[in-house]
Amino acid sequence: MASDGGARFAQYLTRMRPQIEDFLARFTPRPEDMTAHVAGDLSRYLYEPLARFTEGGGKRTRPVLCLLGAQAVGVDPICALSTAAAIEYFQSAALIHDDIADKSLMRRGEPCLHISDGTGIAINVGDLALVNVFAGLLVDSSLENDTCLRILCELTYMEQKTLEGQALDLGWVRDKRWDVTVDDYLYMATHKTAYYSAATPLACGAICANGAEEQIDALFSFGLDAGLAFQLQDDLLNLVGDPAQQGKDFRSDITEGKRTMAAVWALSHLEGDDAARLQQILSSGTTDERELAEAVALMEQSGAIEHVRLHAQTLVAQAKAHLEGVDLDEEARETLLSMADFFVERLG
């Protein structure tokens, strides 16, 4: 199948997103005893901020992938809605906590939750989102007990892997580590992003639909490679994407000294003063547009930008190969192939 630039998957996102939105709206967590004197305070300090943050979600890519995983094994994706919601709540928790760790100011065009509501409240709201990852599944009577238990195990594993990736990402910056290799970066990014952005949602959707192990394994492997390609494209967009679409986050990876693949590759291929200058900019916390542009120019000079772009394309090819010879719904297969293209050809 020739690349469609991700158009089929973009259309699938548009079509399935309302089902996610409707489910989240109907099952928004609220105080159990709404007659209690403090119910209003609980809403103000806990439940309403989470509802507000979750309602402001982006494309809902991750929960939609959960539905696509179910459809891929030939079952109505509605069976995976509670699991899709669980994935979305994990996304909410991860973003709320990430924004605190990264000292970010804006999220989705609005002040970050720790800015609008305070750091303590934001941490607590993120923790509630983590509780909701499991709470909704435990009350979903449509899931067989064995299926529910397996999904809970998969989500727990996903959370652990994501935290491992986050630990490396934060720790390298804290300790001013510049001995990070490209392989180190790929390990970190796979754990921090690929598990929860694609691999686990797709696999859990197939598990909800009682898919065969061969189908589940293929979808997971597909998602792991496609999810890593997604992160590499994110890194590139932050550096050389459209500043208007990136907004205030444009080139923030340089300001934050992120050990991205482009930065790590460049530092290992530049020589002498050029390598020293790039490391100096990455370590300075600068927001000066000229210095940010200089850092990108050094990365381009080293060949890092093109190398990352080619590696992302290689990952997409590997992802597609995982689906070959596997019995999958043909419409869903074409949507998955389009998804892989979408991940590396999107502009924002």
Side-chain angles (χ1 to χ4, degrees):
M1 176 184 174
S3 170
D4 66 352
R8 176 185 287 271
F9 181 67
Q11 292 167 2
Y12 187 82
L13 276 175
T14 300
R15 187 167 76 252
M16 303 304 288
R17 177 177 172 176
Q19 293 194 48
I20 302 293
E21 305 280 6
D22 179 66
F23 188 89
L24 289 169
R26 286 188 292 118
F27 293 96
T28 297
R30 295 177 176 84
E32 289 186 3
D33 186 358
M34 294 300 292
T35 63
H37 177 69
V38 296
D41 286 343
L42 282 174
S43 294
R44 178 184 177 189
Y45 301 136
L46 184 63
Y47 292 97
E48 190 276 331
L50 178 59
R52 185 175 74 241
F53 187 89
T54 303
E55 286 168 6
K59 300 181 179 70
R60 308 292 190 196
T61 302
R62 294 161 183 84
V64 166
L65 288 183
C66 194
L67 304 187
L68 182 56
Q71 184 177 333
V73 300
V75 174
D76 187 337
I78 195 173
C79 72
L81 275 171
S82 64
T83 305
I87 301 266
E88 184 64 19
Y89 276 121
F90 179 72
Q91 164 79 342
S92 291
L95 294 180
I96 291 168
H97 290 158
D98 275 4
D99 286 342
I100 296 169
D102 294 339
K103 298 181 175 62
S104 300
L105 300 178
M106 301 293 291
R107 169 67 65 182
R108 298 167 175 165
E110 300 289 338
C112 292
L113 197 62
H114 68 276
I115 299 296
S116 62
D117 291 57
T119 300
I121 293 290
I123 291 172
N124 209 41
V125 170
D127 290 346
L128 176 63
L130 289 176
V131 169
N132 288 337
V133 172
F134 305 107
L137 290 167
L138 292 171
V139 297
D140 185 352
S141 59
S142 69
L143 292 175
E144 297 290 337
N145 288 342
D146 288 349
T147 301
C148 184
L149 179 60
R150 181 170 180 185
I151 293 169
L152 291 172
C153 289
E154 293 290 340
L155 293 177
T156 301
Y157 186 73
M158 173 195 77
E159 291 192 4
Q160 178 184 349
K161 293 303 175 185
T162 305
L163 293 173
E164 288 175 354
Q166 177 75 333
L168 293 172
D169 196 23
L170 294 172
W172 290 336
V173 173
R174 187 198 70 179
D175 292 345
K176 300 179 174 59
R177 294 274 303 280
W178 291 109
D179 58 343
V180 177
T181 67
V182 169
D183 285 343
D184 293 336
Y185 167 82
L186 293 173
Y187 181 94
M188 178 277 291
T190 298
H191 284 62
K192 181 178 178 178
T193 301
Y195 277 90
Y196 96 93
S197 290
T200 300
L202 285 168
C204 281
I207 292 168
C208 288
N210 296 315
E213 291 304 316
E214 181 187 27
Q215 294 171 316
I216 296 168
D217 290 345
L219 290 169
F220 181 86
S221 297
F222 168 87
L224 212 57
D225 283 335
L228 182 54
F230 178 92
Q231 182 59 55
L232 294 184
Q233 178 70 0
D234 252 13
D235 292 349
L236 289 175
L237 290 172
N238 189 271
L239 296 173
V240 296
D242 182 350
Q245 290 200 33
Q246 294 294 305
K248 291 184 178 180
D249 286 335
F250 187 55
R251 295 181 172 169
S252 61
D253 285 351
I254 300 172
T255 302
E256 295 170 14
K258 292 285 188 180
R259 276 60 172 170
T260 62
M261 185 175 177
V264 171
W265 171 272
L267 287 171
S268 67
H269 286 76
L270 290 170
E271 296 181 354
D273 291 344
D274 288 337
R277 177 55 178 159
L278 178 57
Q279 183 173 325
Q280 180 185 40
I281 296 173
L282 290 167
S283 303
S284 69
T286 183
T287 57
D288 183 274
E289 291 185 6
R290 290 169 299 179
E291 291 187 321
L292 297 177
E294 182 184 356
V296 172
L298 286 167
M299 293 181 196
E300 289 179 326
Q301 174 186 323
S302 73
I305 301 298
E306 184 61 19
H307 180 77
V308 173
R309 184 175 286 114
L310 290 174
H311 192 74
Q313 293 170 356
T314 298
L315 286 167
V316 164
Q318 290 176 188
K320 292 179 178 181
H322 290 303
L323 303 184
E324 293 177 2
V326 181
D327 182 24
L328 296 172
D329 174 85
E330 282 307 311
E331 180 180 349
R333 184 195 302 275
E334 291 184 0
T335 304
L336 286 163
L337 296 175
S338 175
M339 164 198 144
D341 295 327
F342 175 86
F343 275 8
V344 295
E345 296 180 29
R346 62 200 166 90
L347 300 177

